[in-house]
């Protein structure tokens, strides 16, 4: 997996707009508008480049705006030195495993996929790993557990909870939630 991650990061820099966007952030552009200006990119090109750079974790967006994730590069360099086993999510399906490896890392949600089919896979995984079937949970506990998934993700626990309820991975009545037994 570290080799795949390293290859993914290296592949980011094979495209000029991403290199220019990354360079702009490195040189202090802390907003998408500043990145467009410094890198000479169109709004669309800047948005796409920044999204890809954030997806791979090489830039972050925090309270201070955009910034380079130097720790990500350190981690990649360290992990490339010692091979690690591929993380398995126990699905038994190669396609599902690939989706989960992309959007879930170390028990945390990286981000929700834009593609609906992938989003369904990730949400089902979160529901199955977070809630036991038939056990009732007060809303406070549901929020705490979902907040843990969203710690470093651009998605908040409320959005996650809404998707889980709408897709019937969780049921809700009178402020109590439960995961229905599998049919």
């Amino acid at each position: 997996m570290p080799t795949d991650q390293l290859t993914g990061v290296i592949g980011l820099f094979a495209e000029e707009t991403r290199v220019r966007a990354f360079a702009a952030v490195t040189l202090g552009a802390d907003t998408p508008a500043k990145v467009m200006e410094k890198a000479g990119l169109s709004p669309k090109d800047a948005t796409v480049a920044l999204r890809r750079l954030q997806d791979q974790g090489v830039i972050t967006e925090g309270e201070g705006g955009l910034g380079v994730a130097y720790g990500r590069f350190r981690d990649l360099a360290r992990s490339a030195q010692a091979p690690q086993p591929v993380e398995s999510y126990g699905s038994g399906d190669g396609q599902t495993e690939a989706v989960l490896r992309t959007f879930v890392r170390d028990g945390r949600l990286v981000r929700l996929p834009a593609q609906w089919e992938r989003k369904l896979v990730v949400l089902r995984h979160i529901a199955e790993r977070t809630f036991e079937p038939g056990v009732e949970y007060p809303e406070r506990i549901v929020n705490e557990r979902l907040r843990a998934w969203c710690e470093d993700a651009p998605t908040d626990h409320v959005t996650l909870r809404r998707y889980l309820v709408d897709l019937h991975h969780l049921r809700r009545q009178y402020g109590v939630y439960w995961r229905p037994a599998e049919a």
Side-chain angles (χ1 to χ4, degrees):
M1 186 158 170
T3 305
D4 292 343
Q5 289 178 6
L6 189 58
T7 302
V9 169
I10 291 170
L12 281 175
F13 298 104
E15 210 278 309
E16 183 185 353
T17 59
R18 291 191 293 257
V19 172
R20 289 168 60 184
F22 182 81
V25 172
T26 303
L27 294 172
D30 57 354
T31 66
K34 289 179 183 176
V35 169
M36 286 186 292
E37 180 184 329
K38 280 193 177 191
L41 297 173
S42 70
K44 179 184 177 188
D45 287 344
T47 301
V48 170
L50 289 171
R51 183 178 303 128
R52 284 292 311 258
L53 292 165
Q54 286 177 316
D55 288 350
Q56 287 292 326
V58 297
I59 63 170
T60 59
E61 187 169 17
E63 291 180 14
L66 297 171
V68 175
Y70 293 104
R72 173 85 166 125
F73 289 104
R74 259 190 308 278
D75 293 344
L76 284 171
R78 287 182 187 135
S79 66
Q81 293 173 357
Q84 298 174 348
V86 173
E87 186 173 358
S88 174
Y89 295 91
S91 72
D93 175 49
Q95 210 170 16
T96 299
E97 291 286 318
V99 169
L100 293 174
R101 276 193 298 271
T102 302
F103 297 101
V104 177
R105 290 194 193 117
D106 301 322
R108 302 269 189 260
L109 180 65
V110 175
R111 70 177 175 89
L112 276 176
Q115 190 178 54
W116 187 246
E117 291 80 19
R118 291 177 178 180
K119 191 177 291 186
L120 294 174
V121 168
V122 170
L123 291 166
R124 182 179 60 242
H125 174 77
I126 290 172
E128 290 173 353
R129 295 291 187 266
T130 309
F131 305 103
E132 292 295 322
V135 176
E136 293 184 347
Y137 300 92
E139 187 167 330
R140 177 182 55 80
I141 299 298
V142 172
N143 288 341
E144 285 175 16
R145 290 183 175 202
L146 294 178
R147 226 179 253 121
W149 281 97
C150 301
E151 223 168 77
D152 298 321
T155 305
D156 66 1
H157 70 283
V158 176
T159 302
L160 210 51
R161 188 183 69 214
R162 170 58 45 208
Y163 273 124
L164 292 174
V165 170
D166 288 349
L167 294 170
H168 305 290
H169 291 302
L170 282 180
R171 301 283 169 90
R172 173 185 64 209
Q173 186 173 26
Y174 306 117
V176 176
Y177 294 75
W178 67 96
R179 187 173 140 225
E182 300 299 322

